Amino acid sequence: MSDALKLGLIGYGFAGATFHAPVIAYSGRAELAAIATSQAGRAGADFPGAAIVPDIDALLARGDIGCIVVATPNDTHFDLARRVLEAGKHVVVDKPVTLSGADAKILADLASQGGLLFAPFHNRRWDGDFMTLRGLIAEGRLGRVTHYESHFDRFRPVIPQRWREEAAHGGGLLFDLGPHLIDQALALFGAPLSVSATLRQQRDRAEVPDYVHLQLQYADKEVILHASALTALPPPRFTVHGTRGSYVINGLDVQEDQLKAGLRPGGAGFGKNPPGLLRQADGEHDTQGELASLDGDYAGFYRALADTLLDGKPFPVSAQDAVDVMTIIDLAIGSDEQGMRLPFVRLR
């Protein structure tokens, strides 16, 4: 592949094999040059053009790779990303980038000092429903937003045996889905004034939160972010009300399920999302009907990465965004423990 950004990938578990490797391969401007994994047979069969190496040291030693993607268990992100940055390479880190705002700030500072990119993998900015909603708000079609509610609910009553359900590895919905919910809200509305949260372990023998309810306070709107593992009949994915109208859409963006099923970006029907419902009132005119959704585009993350590292364009998700998300997660934990609303103060 000519004029391609050569990437290394650490980890070939669920995240690496589902959200990173195939999306990189089909992004058009990035090439998966090497994968560091203990699952050499699986990774090599899936991506025969990539070198399979045993560990991060082998990736760091490769002079053709300028950027490394970290897709390992949550509790390893900070140390691995720090090693990549200290080696003078750019880094993409799956969410959550760290387990605290303070650690995210260390990585952001290290990247800044070295003139490097520290990119949080907040890929759900490229969800089709979110991009549709972002466009509605930017165009003023909802007027001034007064209420924003974002749900990421599933029904998984049986706890699977995996590290994502273990406290020692930074498991639980706050660290798993919280970064997506929070990052989308910050992308739309900026930093909140304060944060309040309720975190619960509702399933039998749950070790980590499987119910997360956050409220971000702004001067002119209410923002509610919610995730649950015990919602058999989920509410709308987004419910947004404003002074000129409302927008509601059901269901999750289809890309995750399509990737798990083996579909790839660019294939027939990939990223095709159902329509939402839009009602607009302006004076005597009141209209309501379906609104077509934009196609989801996770490959857009890696195209943007190549545009930044090859062409010098600004990257759409900043290191400060990563720090802000983790700061809000810190505040959510503190709010739940103390039973009170906590002010947001940006770490700089």
Side-chain angles (χ1 to χ4, degrees):
M1 184 184 298
S2 61
D3 190 29
L5 175 67
K6 292 183 181 296
L7 299 172
L9 172 65
I10 307 173
Y12 201 71
F14 173 69
T18 305
F19 289 106
H20 293 282
V23 174
I24 291 168
Y26 286 84
S27 67
R29 290 211 73 195
E31 176 184 347
L32 188 58
I35 304 171
T37 178
S38 60
Q39 302 188 57
R42 177 188 174 201
D46 291 345
F47 294 93
I52 308 302
V53 300
D55 52 34
I56 185 175
D57 294 317
L59 280 184
L60 294 178
R62 291 181 62 110
D64 60 329
I65 293 176
C67 181
I68 292 178
V69 179
V70 176
T72 53
N74 295 346
D75 59 319
T76 67
H77 289 179
F78 175 72
D79 287 336
L80 290 172
R82 181 170 58 181
R83 287 196 61 190
V84 172
L85 292 170
E86 288 175 343
K89 296 182 186 290
H90 306 287
V91 68
V92 172
V93 188
D94 207 308
K95 52 78 197 170
V97 294
T98 58
L99 297 183
S100 73
D103 281 351
K105 181 67 165 57
I106 290 172
L107 295 180
D109 288 346
L110 189 59
S112 178
Q113 292 161 11
L116 299 166
L117 184 69
F118 162 43
F121 188 63
H122 291 167
N123 62 311
R124 288 193 177 271
R125 291 200 191 185
W126 285 265
D127 277 358
D129 49 14
F130 177 73
M131 292 192 294
T132 302
L133 171 60
R134 195 172 191 177
L136 283 175
I137 293 174
E139 293 163 10
R141 296 176 67 183
L142 299 178
R144 176 174 54 82
V145 173
T146 58
H147 179 96
Y148 170 92
E149 192 161 341
S150 174
H151 281 253
F152 210 130
D153 298 320
R154 291 165 168 164
F155 188 58
R156 294 177 175 173
V158 178
I159 300 175
Q161 296 295 316
R162 57 178 188 167
W163 65 260
R164 294 179 190 275
E165 304 290 345
E166 300 173 359
H169 293 295
L173 290 187
L174 182 62
F175 286 117
D176 186 24
L177 302 179
H180 290 314
L181 293 167
I182 295 166
D183 179 68
Q184 288 180 333
L186 298 187
L188 293 175
F189 308 120
L193 300 172
S194 61
V195 177
S196 59
T198 300
L199 311 177
R200 295 288 183 267
Q201 294 160 214
Q202 295 186 331
R203 292 175 296 176
D204 296 336
R205 294 178 294 281
E207 184 179 321
V208 290
D210 52 17
Y211 174 97
V212 173
H213 189 85
L214 276 65
Q215 289 181 277
L216 307 186
Q217 284 74 41
Y218 293 82
D220 61 348
K221 65 181 65 71
E222 287 299 316
V223 171
I224 297 169
L225 311 176
H226 187 94
S228 170
L230 285 177
T231 306
L233 294 172
R237 172 69 180 91
F238 290 111
T239 302
V240 187
H241 305 301
T243 56
R244 291 188 59 196
S246 296
Y247 171 75
V248 174
I249 187 167
N250 292 289
L252 297 171
D253 179 275
V254 299
Q255 292 175 93
E256 177 175 346
D257 285 343
Q258 290 180 329
L259 287 167
K260 287 192 286 189
L263 277 69
R264 296 294 179 254
F270 188 87
K272 298 290 184 182
N273 285 290
L277 182 65
L278 175 67
R279 178 178 178 183
Q280 291 179 282
D282 187 3
E284 297 180 355
H285 301 285
D286 192 325
T287 60
Q288 178 176 315
E290 288 189 345
L291 178 71
S293 297
L294 295 173
D295 292 349
D297 185 26
Y298 290 162
F301 178 95
Y302 280 108
R303 286 197 302 274
L305 185 73
D307 289 345
T308 296
L309 298 183
L310 296 178
D311 302 332
K313 296 181 180 179
F315 193 66
V317 191
S318 71
Q320 186 64 56
D321 292 336
V323 176
D324 288 348
V325 166
M326 295 315 304
T327 299
I328 289 175
I329 286 179
D330 288 343
L331 291 173
I333 294 170
S335 171
D336 179 68
E337 291 174 345
Q338 299 172 44
M340 61 186 296
R341 180 181 297 182
L342 299 177
F344 174 84
V345 179
R346 175 167 280 153
L347 298 179
R348 295 187 181 276

